[in-house]
Amino acid sequence: MKRKLSTIIVIVVSGLMLFGCAESKGSTADQPDPNSNPAGIILAGADQQKNISTEDVKSIERYDLEGKLVNSELNKEEVVKAFNDSMIDDTSYIEMITGYRMVITLKDGGKVTITSYGDETRVVAMVRDTTYHLISPEIAKILLNK
């Protein structure tokens, strides 16, 4: 009897877990707007830390997947504005590279590396020792264009 009771309990608990994971037929959440912060979280000081000035930029270069220089004639003002206007997204992202990589070299020797993972609105940026998942359709398009 104890064995039957424990088996029944396991089946009931499993059923409740599956029921809790089932898709709801009620209202569904809207897809996040790529122009807003879907998580609704702004990390304290993060936006200020990632901002750069056009005057501080020495060069902007775009590299292919093999690390070969593809383009160093990118519009400095356009790229810096898009980077500064980008929003930090704390959602997860795929860890793979499918587009180009952009390196912004600063006059003080620092570098900002921005990498595409194939998304048309989001990129991954490394600023100093911090990695950001950014919503920036402008930069994403630059890194996906051949």
Side-chain angles (χ1 to χ4, degrees), residues 10-146:
V10 168
I11 291 171
V12 169
V13 169
S14 299
L16 289 172
M17 288 173 47
L18 288 174
F19 179 75
C21 296
E23 185 177 330
S24 171
K25 293 189 179 193
S27 64
T28 58
D30 293 332
Q31 290 296 320
D33 179 5
N35 296 319
S36 69
N37 186 345
I41 298 171
I42 299 295
L43 304 173
D47 276 331
Q48 292 80 15
Q49 182 181 346
K50 78 165 184 60
N51 282 343
I52 56 178
S53 169
T54 308
E55 292 81 31
D56 294 336
V57 175
K58 180 178 177 181
S59 67
I60 301 176
E61 299 171 324
R62 190 169 67 154
Y63 296 88
D64 65 10
L65 291 174
E66 297 172 356
K68 295 179 185 172
L69 180 65
V70 174
N71 187 354
S72 60
E73 301 295 322
L74 297 168
N75 184 322
K76 189 186 297 188
E77 287 79 21
E78 180 182 316
V79 171
V80 169
K81 181 179 180 345
F83 179 74
N84 289 340
D85 290 347
S86 67
M87 292 183 25
I88 298 172
D89 185 356
D90 72 341
T91 60
S92 60
Y93 56 91
I94 300 170
E95 290 191 39
M96 70 177 199
I97 302 171
T98 59
Y100 290 110
R101 179 174 50 93
M102 179 187 303
V103 177
I104 302 171
T105 304
L106 304 174
K107 291 179 181 174
D108 67 0
K111 292 189 182 209
V112 176
T113 303
I114 305 173
T115 307
S116 169
Y117 61 91
D119 193 285
E120 293 180 354
T121 59
R122 291 169 170 78
V123 294
V124 177
M126 178 97 167
V127 182
R128 295 175 193 87
D129 295 332
T130 307
T131 301
Y132 297 101
H133 186 210
L134 301 178
I135 301 172
S136 179
E138 298 85 5
I139 293 177
K141 287 176 187 165
I142 290 170
L143 295 178
L144 289 174
N145 287 337
K146 299 231 177 209

